Amino acid sequence: MAQRWEDAEAAIAHLKRTRSGWATFLPLDTLRPRAALTIEPDSHVRGVASNLVHYDARLRPVFDLLLGSTLIVDDLPTARRLLSLRGLSLIVTLDGETVQPSGALSGGVRQQGGNLLAQEREWRSLPRQIETAE
């Protein structure tokens, strides 16, 4: 996220100049997401992801862009029932399976070490481990 287009443009120039990588920026002053999906939750539909998280109101364009077309549902049968919903980009079940509007679905059991949150916790603990080892 960037406050202004100019900030994002400057950051991209820096990445190019220093050959530091590639990034996507979401400048708040020019971001124009489509309106979030509207769907009535039912016993198996939790709702649109952007409506299920808490965030600062000024960041609404960012959350609508990233999560406004993602639907959270209980299970795969519910996801299949909603595949024809217009404006949908992704359906995610409570177990983490994902279903794309094309009908492609992903799920199963992740291999050990595939959990990004667990990796993040491990990386955060590394400085303490190094300090202890030294």
Side-chain angles (χ1 to χ4, degrees):
M1 185 200 70
Q3 292 297 320
R4 301 174 313 127
W5 174 278
E6 292 80 5
D7 300 333
E9 197 171 12
I12 289 171
H14 173 77
L15 290 172
K16 285 179 174 179
R17 187 174 54 257
T18 61
R19 302 184 61 79
S20 299
W22 184 274
T24 299
F25 297 90
L26 305 173
L28 290 176
D29 66 340
T30 58
L31 201 58
R32 304 290 178 255
R34 288 178 277 164
L37 287 174
T38 55
I39 186 167
E40 289 297 318
D42 65 31
S43 62
H44 297 288
V45 177
R46 300 304 171 114
V48 176
S50 62
N51 296 331
L52 298 175
V53 295
H54 300 284
Y55 50 86
D56 187 312
R58 70 185 181 83
L59 299 177
R60 179 170 259 321
V62 172
F63 282 85
D64 280 349
L65 176 71
L66 298 176
L67 299 174
S69 59
T70 299
L71 192 59
I72 309 300
V73 301
D74 284 354
D75 50 33
L76 287 172
T78 304
R80 184 175 186 184
R81 175 171 56 90
L82 297 169
L83 270 177
S84 63
L85 188 65
R86 291 181 51 87
L88 183 67
S89 68
L90 187 67
I91 302 173
V92 180
T93 71
L94 295 180
D95 284 336
E97 294 115 352
T98 60
V99 180
Q100 298 176 22
S102 66
L105 60 151
S106 301
V109 177
R110 299 222 184 245
Q111 297 300 315
Q112 188 70 4
N115 184 327
L116 291 178
L117 293 176
Q119 284 181 340
E120 176 73 21
R121 282 190 297 271
E122 184 177 336
W123 291 337
R124 287 183 184 194
S125 72
L126 286 176
R128 278 192 311 276
Q129 292 176 13
I130 292 169
E131 186 177 307
T132 302
E134 291 175 341

